[in-house]
Amino acid sequence: MTEHSLYLDGPEATAAAGAALAAVLRPGDVVALGGDLGAGKTTFARGLLHALGFAGEVPSPSFPIVIPYAPPELRLPLWHVDLYRIDDPEEIEELGLDEARADSALLIEWPERMGARLWPDALRLAIEPAQRPGGPDARRLTWAAPAPWEGRWPPRT
């Protein structure tokens, strides 16, 4: 997989990138969203969830670890997962992600906590602060798209 990137000039652009992903997301897809604390993962997730039709406030799943969403709230079932508080990859088994993937998309923050359990067909995204004239809110979105994502990500403009 080749790594690619684009610059996001603030929170609106970060949310718009999430919305662009929502347009191509399907049940069974896994999106691994990496980045340090404060990188913009939640902003990206909010853009994705709102584009899928969620009208409410999008909380971070840091404490519940998993927040499932389903129609009619969204156009497709999605589990928003935050593995920040997971210390041992063995704990992930208890979350039921394999079963959820059968009919839902998975958006996983802190995917590195999965270790080798992360599916090889996951779209791997990373957000980091960018040194760019866009200001302190500028971000760099980097991705590696495996074969199942070719032609879907990045979206053609």
Side-chain angles (χ1 to χ4, degrees), residues 9-21:
D9 286 329
E12 296 82 15
T14 302
L21 179 60

Side-chain angles (χ1 to χ4, degrees), residues 19-38:
L21 179 60
V24 299
L25 198 63
R26 303 175 186 156
D29 284 342
V30 176
V31 178
L33 182 58
D36 290 337
L37 286 171

Side-chain angles (χ1 to χ4, degrees), residues 140-152:
R140 181 173 175 234
L141 177 66
T142 305
W143 66 89
W149 287 90
E150 287 178 15
R152 290 199 293 150

Side-chain angles (χ1 to χ4, degrees), residues 74-129:
L74 304 182
R75 73 168 175 81
L76 62 87
L78 178 128
W79 280 30
H80 187 188
V81 181
D82 186 325
L83 300 177
Y84 181 73
R85 296 184 320 123
I86 298 292
D87 293 322
D88 181 353
E90 295 297 318
E91 296 175 59
I92 293 167
E93 179 96 17
E94 298 172 20
L95 298 177
L97 300 181
D98 287 318
E99 294 82 10
R101 189 175 179 202
D103 64 358
S104 301
L106 303 178
L107 174 62
I108 302 173
E109 295 185 39
W110 300 95
E112 62 276 8
R113 307 278 173 133
M114 291 186 77
R117 292 178 177 269
L118 183 62
W119 299 272
D121 62 343
L123 174 63
R124 296 164 191 257
L125 303 175
I127 301 175
E128 62 187 6

